[in-house]
Amino acid sequence: MADKGKKGDKPGGKQEGEHPSVEDKKGEVKKGEDKKGEEPPPPKTKSVQPKDEVGTRKGCRRYRWEIKDSNREFWMVGHALSKILSVGCLVGALIMFTGTVVHPLVSLMIFMELSIFLFFIFIYTFAINKYMPFILWPVTDIINDICATASLAGTAIYAILTRETMPVNYIVSVVLIAVAAFFPIIDVCLQRKHFRGKQVKRNVLVPPPKMAAEKGKEEPKPKEDKKGKSGAKAGKK
């Protein structure tokens, strides 16, 4: 009797060297057509965000937008340039003061103004002011500029009055302090644009008409006097 099958051959399987039939090819073609017919999932589209507002941005996207907006306003308008020039003049004054006797109050005032200018540069560069809306930053910056101008001008005058003889480097440092006191005035002029077209809101604490009508309805009834109550009781008796 002939062998039922060779080793490795499965019942009903294809023999080695046998070509695929026409039906198999048709099935493969149909499978390929089905795959082609399936529509790919639509790509995820990001929500359209307004250019001048935060919109619905959250997390890192919001912080990146806040940094761009804060730096665009701070560096392009000119606030940063005025502060950096003041810092440069104060650093130059400290360098020129080396090797000469300086009153400690003069150096203290220079270091104080340097720290305040650097603080504002740090705040605006990293958009920290955007996350502290309870502080009116334009008003705070104007107050700082006015105080910086007054203090630096006073420092320059005091530095002149405390010395009888002034070497060249000392004179140069005093001039640099006076120039540093001039740039905050320019910054005050630049800050004025934040207040253009804005008016003081009046009657802010007055409730709207609907709220006033509701409060009028909810007013408690007037209480009766004790005399009225006693008279009523006497009538009942």
Side-chain angles (χ1 to χ4, degrees):
M1 292 178 69
D3 295 335
K4 291 182 179 181
K6 295 181 181 179
K7 292 181 180 180
D9 293 341
K10 296 181 181 178
K14 297 177 184 178
Q15 294 182 1
E16 295 179 358
E18 187 176 353
H19 296 287
S21 62
V22 178
E23 293 179 357
D24 295 337
K25 289 181 179 179
K26 287 180 180 179
E28 291 176 0
V29 171
K30 286 181 180 179
K31 288 179 181 177
E33 288 178 356
D34 293 339
K35 289 181 180 179
K36 289 180 181 179
E38 291 178 359
E39 294 181 357
K44 294 182 179 180
T45 57
K46 293 182 179 180
S47 58
V48 180
Q49 301 291 339
K51 294 181 179 180
D52 300 332
E53 296 178 0
V54 179
T56 58
R57 299 178 179 90
K58 295 181 180 179
C60 293
R61 287 184 65 200
R62 176 178 178 177
Y63 184 62
R64 277 180 287 174
W65 186 89
E66 295 283 14
I67 284 180
K68 288 180 182 178
D69 184 63
S70 180
N71 282 281
R72 188 186 305 114
E73 183 180 356
F74 182 60
W75 292 90
M76 299 299 291
V77 175
H79 304 300
L81 183 61
S82 63
K83 286 179 171 56
I84 288 172
L85 289 173
S86 297
V87 169
C89 290
L90 294 177
V91 171
L94 286 174
I95 292 170
M96 296 301 292
F97 272 139
T98 54
T100 59
V101 179
V102 185
H103 197 279
L105 186 60
V106 175
S107 56
L108 177 64
M109 293 297 294
I110 292 173
F111 279 113
M112 185 185 70
E113 292 301 330
L114 267 175
S115 60
I116 293 172
F117 282 128
L118 292 174
F119 169 75
F120 275 95
I121 291 171
F122 177 80
I123 288 289
Y124 287 120
T125 303
F126 291 96
I128 298 173
N129 59 318
K130 299 286 186 178
Y131 292 89
M132 290 191 289
F134 52 88
I135 299 176
L136 299 174
W137 288 103
V139 177
T140 307
D141 211 351
I142 286 175
I143 294 171
N144 171 63
D145 291 334
I146 294 170
C147 294
T149 301
S151 61
L152 289 174
T155 303
I157 295 169
Y158 188 76
I160 294 170
L161 295 175
T162 53
R163 288 294 296 264
E164 294 180 358
T165 58
M166 290 186 294
V168 177
N169 57 346
Y170 194 90
I171 294 171
V172 172
S173 60
V174 171
V175 171
L176 288 174
I177 293 171
V179 173
F182 174 73
F183 290 114
I185 299 173
I186 299 173
D187 196 22
V188 170
C189 298
L190 295 174
Q191 292 285 352
R192 288 178 59 190
K193 76 178 189 63
H194 294 286
F195 304 99
R196 288 177 184 171
K198 295 182 181 179
Q199 297 179 354
V200 178
K201 294 182 179 179
R202 298 179 180 178
N203 301 326
V204 177
L205 300 177
V206 177
K210 292 183 179 179
M211 295 288 291
E214 290 177 1
K215 285 183 179 180
K217 290 179 181 179
E218 294 177 358
E219 284 182 357
K221 295 180 180 179
K223 294 182 180 180
E224 294 180 355
D225 296 335
K226 292 182 179 179
K227 293 180 180 179
K229 288 183 179 178
S230 61
K233 288 179 181 178
K236 285 180 181 179
K237 289 178 180 179

